[in-house]
Amino acid sequence: MNLKLGIPSKGRLMDKTLTWFSDRQITLDMNGSEREYSGVVKGIDGIDLVLLSAGEVPRELALGNIHLGVTGADMVRERLNLWDTQVDSIAELAFGFADLVIAVPTAWVDVDTLDDLDAAAAQFRQKHGFRMRIATKYHRLVRDFLRENGVADYQLVDSQGATEGTVKNLTAEAIADITSTGDTQRANHLKALTDGLVMTSQATLFRSKKAQWGADEAATYEALTAKLGLS
């Protein structure tokens, strides 16, 4: 059986993934169509290409449906419970950089740290009768981070659209979201807490611990990592 490699199916993450492999003399060929959701790998034998959304890659790795996958580290840590028991991080690819941060309105001049946020959350609940809402798509990561830093009296609300707009739209009081430059947050009159960095993420090549790793797959993996300069 061939080794299956999952990569993002569209956008900048896909383009940079193709370039990263191409720079190492491996061509990922999608047969001229992103809609087929599969392709071939040229430059090494025994590998099938599988096109997935970046968010699907962690799930397929955990299910063992693919042997290797490229996606953001934030996706893996958010979507997989005890992620390091299900996948190994093989290589950071030096693109797709983003920070997951806690941000609050710039008008909150006295709220700059997590301790300030904790105090503001307690005051907010006392005044309004319900917990401060923090909008995010990253519930697991944010909940763990806030718990570890002693922040209470908040509730996470799911953000399906543009997270930065939830404060302006009065559906949340603060946010936790991915940012690369901070420009979008500043445009929405938000500021990141000085100690509110939840994690730094980048595109990463992961190896599934749940996939079938027979002799053929293991041999192909060794050949691939050698060609990529990872062994």
Side-chain angles (χ1 to χ4, degrees), residues 20-35:
W20 189 88
F21 278 92
S22 178
D23 288 344
R24 290 155 181 82
Q25 287 71 57
I26 294 176
T27 300
L28 307 183
D29 188 347
M30 296 176 293
N31 299 322
S33 174
E34 296 177 20
R35 295 184 179 182

Side-chain angles (χ1 to χ4, degrees), residues 125-181:
R125 186 178 186 186
Q126 185 176 24
K127 179 178 179 180
H128 297 281
F130 63 93
R131 289 185 173 90
M132 177 188 295
R133 298 164 297 178
I134 302 176
T136 189
K137 299 180 179 74
Y138 297 88
H139 289 242
R140 186 195 306 276
L141 287 169
V142 173
R143 186 182 301 109
D144 290 349
F145 177 77
L146 293 177
R147 183 179 63 248
E148 291 166 3
N149 286 278
V151 178
D153 274 339
Y154 70 89
Q155 58 178 317
L156 297 181
V157 293
D158 196 40
S159 169
Q160 297 296 335
T163 303
E164 296 91 345
T166 56
V167 174
K168 181 180 179 180
N169 294 332
L170 304 179
T171 56
E173 285 69 52
I175 71 165
D177 199 23
I178 288 288
T179 181
S180 55
T181 64

Side-chain angles (χ1 to χ4, degrees), residues 5-63:
L5 167 64
I7 70 165
S9 60
K10 59 184 177 180
R12 187 177 301 174
L13 203 57
M14 179 194 73
D15 293 339
K16 288 186 174 293
T17 299
L18 299 180
T19 299
W20 189 88
F21 278 92
S22 178
D23 288 344
R24 290 155 181 82
Q25 287 71 57
I26 294 176
T27 300
L28 307 183
D29 188 347
M30 296 176 293
N31 299 322
S33 174
E34 296 177 20
R35 295 184 179 182
E36 294 182 11
Y37 299 105
S38 65
V40 295
V41 179
K42 300 177 181 178
I44 188 169
D45 295 330
I47 302 179
D48 293 332
L49 187 62
V50 182
L51 302 180
L52 302 161
S53 72
E56 289 174 324
V57 172
R59 181 194 68 200
E60 295 302 293
L61 286 165
L63 291 172

Side-chain angles (χ1 to χ4, degrees), residues 82-158:
L82 301 175
W83 68 273
D84 54 353
T85 67
Q86 303 186 66
V87 300
D88 285 322
S89 174
I90 301 303
E92 295 179 328
L93 307 186
F95 61 83
F97 291 103
D99 294 336
L100 176 57
V101 301
I102 310 291
V104 300
T106 53
W108 293 9
V109 294
D110 294 327
V111 180
D112 292 308
T113 67
L114 289 167
D115 284 344
D116 296 338
L117 181 67
D118 185 47
Q123 293 171 5
F124 182 92
R125 186 178 186 186
Q126 185 176 24
K127 179 178 179 180
H128 297 281
F130 63 93
R131 289 185 173 90
M132 177 188 295
R133 298 164 297 178
I134 302 176
T136 189
K137 299 180 179 74
Y138 297 88
H139 289 242
R140 186 195 306 276
L141 287 169
V142 173
R143 186 182 301 109
D144 290 349
F145 177 77
L146 293 177
R147 183 179 63 248
E148 291 166 3
N149 286 278
V151 178
D153 274 339
Y154 70 89
Q155 58 178 317
L156 297 181
V157 293
D158 196 40

